[in-house]
Structure formats: C-alpha cells, structure tokens
Amino acid sequence: MEAENLKEILFYSLEKSIKTYRQFAQRQLVENGFNITIDQWLVLKALSDGPHQTQHQIAELVFKDYASVTRIIELLVEKQYLVRTIHANDRRRFNLTLTENAVRLLEAMQPVIEKNRSTALKGINEQHASQFQHILNLIINNCQS
Amino acid sequence: MEAENLKEILFYSLEKSIKTYRQFAQRQLVENGFNITIDQWLVLKALSDGPHQTQHQIAELVFKDYASVTRIIELLVEKQYLVRTIHANDRRRFNLTLTENAVRLLEAMQPVIEKNRSTALKGINEQHASQFQHILNLIINNCQS
DNA sequence: CAAATATAATTGATATATCAATATTATTCA
DNA sequence: TGAATAATATTGATATATCAATTATATTTG
C-alpha cells in the first residue's frame, strides 16, 4: 500500500517536474525577448554541436519523432535560422546549415539557458545530482529492455 | 565546465526518462488490448478518485491545460467512458460521471499500470526512491517561485 | 545488371500543449 | 438592483508527438 503510493507519486512528480521546468524555461525565453520554442532551440543546438547530422540522427539525439523533426526544421527554415541544401553524394539527404542569425541567437540565448538550469537546480549539490542522474538512467534502461 | 555539463545531462536525462517511460507504458497498454491513451486514463483515474471535480480541478490535478482537458473529455464522452450532464446549482459546470464501461476498464487496466511502474523502477529501493522524489520536488519548487 | 531491400525524409491523421479570445453564468459590491 | 468582476468552459490557431503510409534514392544481392 505504502510502496504503491510512493510509486504513484514518483511518476506523478517526474511528470510534474519536467513540465514545470519546461514552462519556466519557455517563459524565461519569452521574457528575454526570444521568439523561439524550447524544441526549436534543441534542434538548433544539436546542429550547432554537430553540423553534419542527418535529420534522423538529430531526432535520435533529442528524443523526437522523425516527423516532428521534419516539421521543426521547416519552421526554422521559415524563420531563417536554417538553410537546407541537397547533399552532394546522397540525394535523399539535406545539408542543414545554421545562418548567421541562428549563430547570434544561440550565443545570445546561452546565458539565459544556463541561468534557467541553475535556478531549477538551486539547493542540489553535485553528489545529489549524480545520484539523481543514476536513477534516471535506471528508469530509462528499465523501460527500454 | 564539469558542473555545467552535468546540468545539461541532468535535464536531458530527465526529459528522456519521462518520454521513455511514457512510450513504454503506452506500448504496454496497446499490447494488452486497451484502446486508450495515458492522458485519457489520467483523466478517468482523477474522476474515479474524486468524482465531483470541475474540469478546472482535474486540469490542476493532472498538470494539464484547461483546453486539453476539455478536448480529452470530449473524446472520453465519444468513447462512452464519460457522461456529461449539467450541474444542478451552477449552470457553468458539468457533472462528469464514469460509465460502467469506464469502471470496468479502469479495473482491468490497474494490474498493467502497476506492472509498468514496477518494471520501470526495478532495482530502485525505497530509500533511493524517496531521495529521488525529494529532488524532483526541489526542481518543481525552484521553477514555481 | 535488375529486383529486392534499406535508408532518408515527407505527409496525413489524430492527440495533446499552449496561448489568446470568447461565451455563459455566478458573484460581488457600489 | 445593476454594473463590474470572477469563474467555468469552449474554440481557434499554432506547435509538437505518434503512428502509418508514401516517395525518392541508395545499397545489396541473386
């Protein structure tokens, strides 16, 4: 009974924490004048860190559906943060290149992103954080096997 | 540098864990022949636990937008798991009543739901779970203030 | 080489998230 | 009481998640 209740609360809190963090982070972006969603930022950041990835690889990296990545990239092209050109050797693929605009945007956003993380983790030391991390990884592994 | 990286990984894992769990849990429902989403289940469960709630209260309880709850309830009415009638004293509200079908469904689902949680938490003892819970609550509070 | 298979990406349909605007009914208070 | 305000819920628009089907191109293999 007790344990069952604990498990309920655990996933309840897990869901609540990530939602609360996302809402908080998105609100901070808006308040700092950035007109971009967290998910769009994730894709830009992934491309900034590893420029020559396929959309498939990006999707894996950010845990998104391929369809979602396609649509997010469409929006980023519209917003002139990305340029798509056909890949020279493989005509199924695209080269995705960040525009100057995007590079500047990422730089400008970085301090806000870091502040968001610090705020969210206030009062949590490194030892607790790595304990926490460990349990997250256990859950991930348990759900993948 | 080290700490910054840890923070990155932490939210990354947090996002990955809840997504992985949700996908796992939803897949188990499908495999067991239940034609209902996790979110629809959440709303049914909330109503089962507390029958006389407004849609507003349900939304708060399950961390959903009011608009989302409206639409989820529409679907549950279509699927004949809920009946909506106008509230006697307050014509802005609705009474939401679970059908027999829904009661049976919830009962039939319960073992699967509990198994999902146990599987996901395999190898995590109560002490670690409550440590984990504590950190989740810290994050939630940090993002709400 | 040609057919079969695999890979990369898109598209359509449905569900949910979020924000803003709106409609309806209740409550408050001047 | 009547006007202002609050509460309850819906609707529309846009973004994302998920699944299934499709298109186009590459690669493998008989």
Side-chain angles (χ1 to χ4, degrees):
Chain A
M1 184 70 91
E2 188 59 43
E4 192 51 49
N5 199 29
L6 196 61
K7 286 180 196 172
E8 273 180 41
I9 295 172
L10 194 139
F11 286 106
Y12 185 85
S13 298
L14 189 54
E15 182 111 10
K16 184 168 183 175
S17 72
I18 191 65
K19 278 196 181 182
T20 309
Y21 173 68
R22 270 191 162 257
Q23 286 167 351
F24 162 71
Q26 185 68 60
R27 197 167 54 241
Q28 293 304 311
L29 291 189
V30 171
E31 279 177 15
N32 283 274
F34 298 114
N35 178 28
I36 187 174
T37 67
I38 302 271
D39 294 300
Q40 290 166 9
W41 175 82
L42 264 173
V43 170
L44 282 185
K45 187 68 163 63
L47 274 167
S48 170
D49 292 347
H52 300 301
Q53 302 183 80
T54 63
Q55 294 184 197
H56 193 103
Q57 287 171 317
I58 293 169
E60 304 264 297
L61 195 65
V62 299
F63 322 119
K64 289 189 180 302
D65 196 75
Y66 312 138
S68 296
V69 170
T70 292
R71 283 159 188 150
I72 290 172
I73 286 175
E74 267 173 25
L75 292 175
L76 289 171
V77 170
E78 271 176 34
K79 287 184 170 181
Q80 308 201 319
Y81 289 133
L82 279 185
V83 173
R84 270 165 60 129
T85 55
I86 293 180
H87 193 277
N89 306 330
D90 188 338
R91 291 157 54 85
R92 291 168 306 184
R93 296 175 49 176
F94 294 96
N95 301 310
L96 297 166
T97 315
L98 274 72
T99 63
E100 278 302 314
N101 249 349
V103 174
R104 276 197 299 275
L105 179 72
L106 286 181
E107 271 172 27
M109 288 178 71
Q110 193 58 29
V112 179
I113 302 282
E114 285 173 17
K115 182 145 181 272
N116 287 346
R117 290 185 188 133
S118 299
T119 303
L121 294 180
K122 203 169 46 191
I124 300 166
N125 64 34
E126 282 215 22
Q127 195 210 324
H128 285 159
S130 85
Q131 259 285 338
F132 184 71
Q133 178 75 50
H134 175 65
I135 295 194
L136 290 174
N137 288 338
L138 272 178
I139 293 175
I140 292 168
N141 288 331
N142 285 340
C143 293
Q144 277 174 341
S145 49
Chain B
M1 182 72 89
E2 188 57 46
E4 193 48 50
N5 198 30
L6 196 62
K7 287 179 193 170
E8 274 181 41
I9 295 172
L10 194 140
F11 287 106
Y12 185 86
S13 298
L14 189 55
E15 181 110 11
K16 183 168 183 175
S17 73
I18 190 65
K19 279 196 181 182
T20 309
Y21 173 69
R22 271 192 161 257
Q23 286 167 352
F24 162 72
Q26 184 68 60
R27 198 168 53 242
Q28 293 304 311
L29 292 189
V30 171
E31 279 178 15
N32 283 273
F34 298 114
N35 179 28
I36 187 176
T37 67
I38 302 270
D39 294 302
Q40 289 166 10
W41 175 82
L42 266 172
V43 170
L44 283 185
K45 187 70 163 58
L47 274 167
S48 170
D49 291 348
H52 300 301
Q53 300 183 83
T54 64
Q55 294 184 195
H56 194 102
Q57 287 171 317
I58 293 170
E60 304 265 298
L61 194 63
V62 299
F63 321 121
K64 290 189 180 302
D65 196 76
Y66 314 138
S68 296
V69 170
T70 293
R71 285 159 186 148
I72 290 173
I73 286 174
E74 267 173 26
L75 292 175
L76 289 171
V77 170
E78 272 175 35
K79 286 184 169 182
Q80 309 202 318
Y81 289 133
L82 279 185
V83 172
R84 269 165 58 130
T85 54
I86 293 179
H87 192 277
N89 306 329
D90 188 337
R91 290 158 54 85
R92 294 169 304 183
R93 297 176 48 176
F94 294 96
N95 301 311
L96 297 166
T97 315
L98 273 73
T99 63
E100 279 301 316
N101 249 348
V103 174
R104 275 197 300 275
L105 179 73
L106 286 181
E107 271 173 27
M109 287 177 71
Q110 194 58 28
V112 179
I113 301 281
E114 284 174 18
K115 182 144 181 272
N116 287 345
R117 290 185 188 134
S118 298
T119 303
L121 294 180
K122 203 168 47 190
I124 300 165
N125 66 33
E126 282 216 21
Q127 195 209 325
H128 285 159
S130 84
Q131 259 286 337
F132 184 72
Q133 178 76 49
H134 175 64
I135 296 195
L136 290 174
N137 289 337
L138 273 178
I139 293 175
I140 292 168
N141 288 333
N142 286 339
C143 292
Q144 277 174 341
S145 49

